[in-house]
Amino acid sequence: TSVDFHPMGEAAQHGADFSDLMLSTSFDWTVKLWSPKQHQQPLHSFEASEDYVYDAKWHPNHPALFASVDGEGHLDVWDLNRDFEAPHVRVKASDSALNHCCWSSDGKRIVTGDAYGVCSVFACEKELIQPRPDEFSRFEERILDLKPTDVG
C-alpha cells in the first residue's frame, strides 16, 4: 500500500492549491482520492484493477495525472480531467506484480519496479504530460464537484 500527496508543482503558478489531495493504494484493489482537510471519507475510489494496487504517484507537473501499478503487472496512467472511471493509458508492463512507480522529476518518464527487482522505464507522450493552461482550473472544478464516497 502507498500514500502520495499531490505536489504543488505548477499549480501555485496557476492560482490553484491541490496540496490537500492525496492518493492511497490498497489490497482492496483500489486507488482512493482523498481530501483529508475537508472530508474523512474518500472523494473517489478508482476500481480498474483486478488485483492489489501497490503504488500510485501524482505527476510532478500535470495537475490531473497520476500513475498506478498493480499485482497483474499493469501500469495505468489516469487523466482525471478526461475520466474518473478508466485509466487513459494501460500498459501490461510485466508478467509479475509491479510494486512501485516513480515519475522522473521532469515528468517525461515513469519507472516501474516489479516483484523480481526488474526496473522498466517508459517515455510518455508530450501531449499527455504537458498541461495546457486550462488543465488547472478544469481539475479544480472537477475536484470541487466531488462528494465523499461511502466506501467500506
Side-chain angles (χ1 to χ4, degrees):
T1 62
S2 71
V3 175
D4 190 44
F5 277 97
H6 198 290
M8 285 304 293
E10 295 183 19
Q13 299 171 19
H14 294 272
D17 180 7
F18 304 122
S19 63
D20 184 43
L21 294 180
M22 179 182 83
L23 297 170
S24 68
T25 63
S26 181
F27 294 137
D28 69 358
W29 302 4
T30 67
V31 177
K32 290 187 174 56
L33 174 63
W34 301 80
S35 180
K37 288 182 186 174
Q38 304 297 320
H39 306 286
Q40 292 183 343
Q41 296 293 326
L43 293 175
H44 190 77
S45 182
F46 304 95
E47 301 177 359
S49 294
E50 295 182 10
D51 202 334
Y52 298 162
V53 182
Y54 287 99
D55 200 9
K57 293 286 188 289
W58 287 107
H59 189 272
N61 302 317
H62 193 299
L65 280 184
F66 74 87
S68 62
V69 292
D70 69 23
E72 289 189 314
H74 292 119
L75 165 62
D76 292 336
V77 178
W78 298 78
D79 182 346
L80 302 184
N81 278 345
R82 295 180 190 217
D83 194 349
F84 270 80
E85 300 308 319
H88 183 64
V89 176
R90 171 169 267 202
V91 176
K92 177 73 170 160
S94 176
D95 289 331
S96 62
L98 291 176
N99 50 26
H100 190 67
C101 62
C102 183
W103 292 98
S104 61
S105 60
D106 62 8
K108 294 179 180 178
R109 295 169 306 282
I110 188 162
V111 177
T112 62
D114 74 14
Y116 294 101
V118 176
C119 292
S120 301
V121 180
F122 298 88
C124 299
E125 293 180 14
K126 184 178 179 180
E127 295 78 29
L128 175 67
I129 60 169
Q130 184 63 43
R132 296 182 314 271
D134 71 328
E135 300 279 4
F136 296 88
S137 59
R138 287 179 53 216
F139 185 55
E140 189 170 40
E141 289 171 13
R142 294 206 72 181
I143 294 300
L144 289 173
D145 288 342
L146 290 176
K147 303 295 181 232
T149 58
D150 185 21
V151 294

